[in-house]
Amino acid sequence: MSNAPQKRPSELRRDIKRRGMLFVLSSPSGAGKSTISLRLLQDDDDVVLSVSVTTRPPRPGEVDGKDYHFIDIPRFEEMKAANDLLEHARVFDNYYGTPKGPVNDQLTSGKDVLFDIDWQGTQQVEAQAASDLVRVFILPPSLRELERRLKSRAQDSDEVVAGRMAKASDEMSHCAEYDYVVINDDLEETLASVKAILTAERLRRQRQPGINDFVSALRSEATAHSNG
Ligand code: 5GP
């Protein structure tokens, strides 16, 4: 038996460290996922973005190192061969991947890591870290609205928009592989739903490693109390 004085529940409560999660948002391109990600990051300091590598060229306004790490194909192949990618996929003729290192660092510091990745990447992450993974699929309210949003972005050519529309059905066929599905009709409502998912998932018992000590301390107090 240790002679160390037992901590009181109030002290232990402060010590309940949370285990971070891998929070994946997927959707057909144009369903509003990037805006939702941005707002989540702005509103919640405990959420950090996993910045992917991609071989596609930057869109106007995109910043290297913030939106993506823009790399060429040989560098992508190098990272893949060195096992530096947690997952990778080819999407719309470009390659995308998640660098492993930053994800591990952020998880151990108790942050939730937000991933804006497609269904292929999500399946690979699940194979490696299922218990830490929370998957959310964002759907557009209609195909017409999806097209309107893609066109109003005015960053991609008509050809690229047509390609993304053609791919939407394929993306949506993977919706059933996700834990949560949110229809993005109204941005604020969708954001509230996504935040509610995050809050509930943070309260899962296995994500609060110190909870058992806290309960033991509460029960010790209860015993002391009933013994007079
Ligand atoms: P965009 O080129 O519009 O930024 O992204 C195109 C698609 O690639 C989106 O569905 C996005 O979620 C996906 N994507 C972006 N980064 C990654 C990644 O690192 N891995 C995978 N698997 N998909 C990604």
Side-chain angles (χ1 to χ4, degrees):
M1 277 269 287
S2 154
N3 290 331
Q6 272 208 332
K7 284 195 177 178
R8 297 173 61 82
S10 55
E11 293 171 86
L12 285 164
R13 181 150 187 218
R14 282 196 303 271
D15 290 347
I16 300 177
K17 294 272 186 315
R18 218 169 42 77
R19 181 173 167 76
M21 72 186 106
L22 305 162
F23 196 74
V24 170
L25 285 183
S26 296
S27 76
S29 193
K33 177 184 46 169
S34 306
T35 316
I36 296 159
S37 302
L38 205 69
R39 286 285 303 276
L40 265 187
L41 292 164
Q42 278 171 358
D43 294 354
D44 191 326
D45 289 343
D46 284 336
V47 179
V48 291
L49 181 68
S50 161
V51 180
S52 298
V53 295
T54 181
T55 60
R56 84 152 162 75
R59 295 198 186 107
E62 283 186 331
V63 177
D64 187 32
K66 185 168 166 278
D67 299 289
Y68 281 105
H69 300 287
F70 296 98
I71 59 172
D72 56 17
I73 294 177
R75 175 70 190 128
F76 181 86
E77 293 298 344
E78 209 175 273
M79 290 183 80
K80 212 169 94 176
N83 202 20
D84 284 345
L85 299 175
L86 178 64
E87 60 75 33
H88 56 84
R90 183 180 168 156
V91 189
F92 308 121
D93 295 334
N94 294 303
Y95 296 101
Y96 296 82
T98 302
K100 248 185 211 169
V103 174
N104 291 336
D105 294 348
Q106 286 153 346
L107 274 186
T108 39
S109 69
K111 298 282 185 194
D112 299 313
V113 185
L114 176 63
F115 292 79
D116 173 343
I117 61 175
D118 80 334
W119 61 270
Q120 303 172 77
T122 309
Q123 285 184 353
Q124 293 169 47
V125 176
E126 206 219 344
Q128 299 178 61
S131 62
D132 289 329
L133 179 65
V134 177
R135 298 160 297 187
V136 182
F137 201 92
I138 310 286
L139 283 173
S142 68
L143 217 56
R144 180 187 290 198
E145 176 60 14
L146 186 71
E147 187 170 25
R148 193 195 64 73
R149 289 181 193 169
L150 279 174
K151 284 185 170 161
S152 70
R153 217 152 56 174
Q155 287 177 325
D156 296 311
S157 66
D158 287 352
E159 198 190 335
V160 169
V161 170
R164 285 173 187 243
M165 284 299 290
K167 200 87 201 271
S169 167
D170 181 41
E171 274 295 323
M172 290 188 287
S173 73
H174 291 277
C175 182
E177 295 159 24
Y178 285 70
D179 304 304
Y180 299 92
V181 181
V182 183
I183 300 174
N184 183 18
D185 218 335
D186 174 88
L187 176 65
E188 295 306 324
E189 274 178 31
T190 302
L191 193 63
S193 299
V194 173
K195 284 181 178 174
I197 296 167
L198 198 56
T199 302
E201 289 289 341
R202 282 174 176 167
L203 293 172
R204 273 193 190 274
R205 192 168 33 78
Q206 75 265 27
R207 297 216 167 91
Q208 303 185 72
I211 205 75
N212 290 341
D213 289 343
F214 177 66
V215 172
S216 297
L218 277 181
R219 294 188 64 208
S220 297
E221 275 204 347
T223 307
H225 192 260
S226 60
N227 289 343

